[in-house]
Amino acid sequence: MRRVFVNGYGVIGRRVADAIARQPDMELIGIGKTKADYKARLAAGKGYRIYVPSEKEAQAFSSLGIEVAGLTADAVRASDVTIDATPDGVGAKNLSLYRELGKPAIFQGGEEADVGEVSFVAECNYDQARGRRYVRV
């Protein structure tokens, strides 16, 4: 069973997290959020564990009654792979954390192509992307 962390819970991240939660061969470790907003409440309502970048965000969530499971780094450590669905440019900044922890990541297509080792397109480069640690989809 693959343990997956979805970092970012906007339009893309919500869809990815919901899809992963339905897969019999995957476990959704949780989702990453930076703001204690209605999307965080939606995730909590679905039973998704919420991870935040720092203690500062954890306190903000807690003050609004939204339970936090831990820090983003904790979720990355616990996962087999991270799907980075953060806004454009944020994923590139997160890459250093993923590398530091030695964990692979898949980035959403809004990132620049050089964020990953390859930009994956199923019709033309499946074999090239297979086995890479950092892939932009």
Side-chain angles (χ1 to χ4, degrees):
M1 170 142 347
R2 294 282 179 192
R3 298 168 301 170
V4 183
F5 172 56
V6 178
N7 196 6
Y9 197 69
V11 173
I12 295 170
R14 286 193 311 263
R15 291 175 181 164
V16 171
D18 288 347
I20 290 167
R22 289 178 174 88
Q23 300 306 309
D25 60 345
M26 295 182 186
E27 175 191 354
L28 180 65
I29 295 296
I31 60 99
K33 285 287 293 163
T34 57
K35 296 179 188 148
D37 58 13
Y38 76 95
K39 294 174 196 170
R41 290 193 189 283
L42 288 172
K46 292 180 179 185
Y48 297 166
R49 291 178 297 270
I50 299 171
Y51 294 85
V52 296
S54 73
E55 289 299 329
K56 178 183 173 184
E57 288 90 357
Q59 291 172 1
F61 278 70
S62 180
S63 71
L64 294 173
I66 302 171
E67 185 179 341
V68 171
L71 301 181
T72 302
D74 300 328
V76 173
R77 276 187 204 95
S79 69
D80 295 315
V81 65
T82 295
I83 308 297
D84 192 294
T86 58
D88 297 355
V90 178
K93 293 175 185 173
N94 292 337
L95 178 58
S96 61
L97 172 65
Y98 308 146
R99 283 186 171 149
E100 177 186 322
L101 297 176
K103 296 291 185 159
I106 299 170
F107 299 88
Q108 55 89 14
E111 291 295 332
E112 295 294 324
D114 64 356
V115 73
E117 298 167 286
V118 65
S119 285
F120 174 70
V121 179
E123 292 97 8
C124 65
N125 69 343
Y126 178 84
D127 289 333
Q128 183 184 5
R130 188 178 167 111
R132 301 293 177 125
R133 293 190 61 77
Y134 307 103
V135 176
R136 175 181 168 261
V137 176

